[in-house]
Amino acid sequence: MKKQIRRALGALLLCAMTLPCAGAVNWGLWYGNGVNQPPSGEDSVQTLSQYGAYYMGSAADKVLYLTFDCGYENGNTAKILDTLKKHHVPAAFFVVGHYLDAAPALVRRMAAEGHLVCNHSAQHPNMTRVSRARFVSELESLQTQYTALTGRRLSPFFRPPEGAYTHESLRWAQQLGYHTTLWSVAYADWDPAAQPTYASARKTLHSRVHNGAIILLHAVSSTNAAILDSLLTEWKMQGYTFAALSALPGLPQPTVSALPNPAPFTVAGQPVVPTAFLIEGNNYIKLRDAAQMLTGTEKQFAVSYDAATGAVGLHPGQAYEALGTELTGVRDAAVVQAAPGASQITRDGTPLSLTAYLIDGENYIKLRDLAQALDCGVSYDSATCAVGLEPSQPYQTSN
């Protein structure tokens, strides 16, 4: 009798451990609001925002956020990355532990080419059926695995497997520093054995896309790999732009997209190879590259950093001490994310009004701002996009 009772209690415990908890949500969408209109979800934008969670951006902005779920690799992701690079479009890749083990080179490539690599849990369980301890372990163990592979941290976005969550699990993710990220555009693309036709996939996605859409595509889909080029081309023609999840409205420090700038640079007519980006059409150059480029000229300057405050000091006339990481050339990326840069930049202690961004831990300065601060001549060739710094000449705003 006691054995029977123990078996019954064990069965009840197992059942309790595998059943979804009260308040479980399986994310779904209702597209009945009209073509190219935001769909209604299981929770509203306002409810999700209480937990720092999202299923779309701003419906007022003609911006799209492209995301891919990566459960396993079957040969399509490289083509997807090629297409993103061709169009300079950022994306977020939600990965699981198996994917990190099976496709480490692709994961490194995602990060190296400027995309966000995000948390989809280590073992892909239904997160409404796990304890808080297991929930924490799923996210933290994937973080540890990713850091061991790449030396980087995952971007702070979490997509619950199967779109299953509770308000409590949203809070748990938030407490771990993650924004739970659902979606507002998706279609049945996840089964490699039952892929939609190119025409039907394009028709569905074109009808569902909308301002502020977070688009979910599966990287296992051969259809997605085949039609992505045309989708991006057509969406751009319709006036959409693309942003990373890290640029979502409401984030404390939203990023902006920075395009690698392959334009030729010279100093006093001599070729140099700085790392530079175009942000909103303006040239931004790595500050340490600029210091190295101008070493030995009339406009040389040293650079100092205050680790406590993040402030940066420029010291004209002083010799720059190189770190050996300068002038590595054009960044081989689709597009990278730039966060707000140094809180204060000074010239011999006097504050400057320089526009700065932080990319991969380095400060990038708007080139014209820096040239003006140093009173250094700068020229642009509109035909070739070539940029020239002329240390022997003064800065002129009309250049």
Side-chain angles (χ1 to χ4, degrees):
M1 184 65 177
K2 289 182 179 179
K3 289 183 178 179
Q4 291 175 329
I5 292 174
R6 282 199 295 270
R7 289 195 192 100
L9 288 173
L12 285 171
L13 179 60
L14 180 61
C15 182
M17 291 174 65
T18 57
L19 284 175
C21 67
V25 176
N26 291 311
W27 183 249
L29 296 166
W30 181 70
Y31 289 102
N33 296 330
V35 174
N36 301 131
Q37 296 300 311
S40 301
E42 300 289 338
D43 271 318
S44 68
V45 169
Q46 292 75 17
T47 298
L48 292 173
S49 69
Q50 298 175 37
Y51 307 95
Y54 291 86
Y55 85 93
M56 59 178 283
S58 171
D61 300 326
K62 210 170 177 65
V63 177
L64 304 178
Y65 305 87
L66 198 58
T67 72
F68 293 87
D69 281 5
C70 302
Y72 60 95
E73 176 57 31
N74 68 341
N76 295 309
T77 307
K79 184 175 181 179
I80 288 170
L81 287 167
D82 290 343
T83 302
L84 295 171
K85 194 172 185 179
K86 172 184 174 181
H87 288 272
H88 299 293
V89 166
F93 291 86
F94 287 87
V95 299
V96 297
H98 168 76
Y99 195 91
L100 297 181
D101 288 334
L106 285 172
V107 174
R108 292 191 190 98
R109 182 182 170 188
M110 292 168 189
E113 294 187 0
H115 302 295
L116 307 187
V117 183
C118 307
N119 205 317
H120 199 29
S121 78
Q123 299 180 43
H124 203 264
N126 183 312
M127 297 296 249
T128 69
R129 299 176 176 177
V130 302
S131 66
R132 188 183 191 283
R134 171 73 184 280
F135 185 97
V136 171
S137 175
E138 284 288 332
L139 273 62
E140 290 189 343
S141 62
L142 188 76
Q143 173 64 75
T144 299
Q145 186 180 356
Y146 178 72
T147 300
L149 175 65
T150 66
R152 303 169 183 258
R153 290 192 60 80
L154 290 166
S155 294
F157 301 92
F158 166 63
R159 176 163 288 158
E162 305 170 23
Y165 67 90
T166 64
H167 289 171
E168 188 173 38
S169 71
L170 296 180
R171 185 178 296 107
W172 292 345
Q174 186 180 35
Q175 290 169 347
L176 292 171
Y178 285 94
H179 300 276
T180 299
T181 308
L182 302 163
W183 58 88
S184 63
V185 172
Y187 77 118
D189 64 343
W190 54 83
D191 185 353
Q195 283 292 285
T197 66
Y198 299 170
S200 66
R202 292 176 69 252
K203 181 179 180 181
T204 299
L205 290 169
H206 277 309
S207 69
R208 292 181 176 179
V209 74
H210 61 87
N211 287 6
I214 295 179
I215 301 169
L216 163 60
L217 301 175
H218 285 85
V220 297
S221 168
S222 58
T223 293
N224 288 340
I227 68 173
L228 185 61
D229 181 62
S230 63
L231 284 175
L232 298 182
T233 299
E234 290 156 4
W235 284 335
K236 285 182 178 181
M237 290 176 62
Q238 293 168 19
Y240 288 106
T241 59
F242 296 85
L245 293 179
S246 53
L248 279 165
L251 293 178
Q253 289 190 314
T255 63
V256 298
S257 289
L259 301 180
N261 185 5
F265 281 73
T266 59
V267 173
Q270 298 301 308
V272 288
V273 286
T275 303
F277 293 93
L278 289 173
I279 300 176
E280 298 177 344
N282 295 303
N283 277 292
Y284 282 76
I285 187 170
K286 187 162 72 174
L287 180 59
R288 285 193 173 277
D289 281 4
Q292 180 68 33
M293 288 160 51
L294 292 171
T295 294
T297 74
E298 299 95 319
K299 302 298 166 59
Q300 74 173 8
F301 65 98
V303 180
S304 63
Y305 290 88
D306 186 322
T309 65
V312 177
L314 309 184
H315 307 282
Q318 297 186 24
Y320 172 70
E321 295 184 14
L323 300 180
T325 58
E326 299 84 357
L327 301 177
T328 56
V330 180
R331 171 74 181 273
D332 183 19
V335 59
V336 302
Q337 295 308 300
S343 58
Q344 185 180 61
I345 302 176
T346 61
R347 184 183 189 272
D348 285 338
T350 301
L352 294 171
S353 296
L354 299 185
T355 307
Y357 285 100
L358 203 62
I359 300 174
D360 293 334
E362 294 278 0
N363 279 287
Y364 283 74
I365 309 296
K366 188 176 178 180
L367 183 59
R368 279 200 172 276
D369 285 359
L370 182 63
Q372 186 172 23
L374 299 172
D375 194 25
C376 180
V378 59
S379 63
Y380 294 90
D381 187 321
S382 58
T384 65
C385 297
V387 181
L389 290 177
E390 304 297 339
S392 63
Q393 299 179 15
Y395 176 78
Q396 295 182 8
T397 57
S398 59
N399 280 355

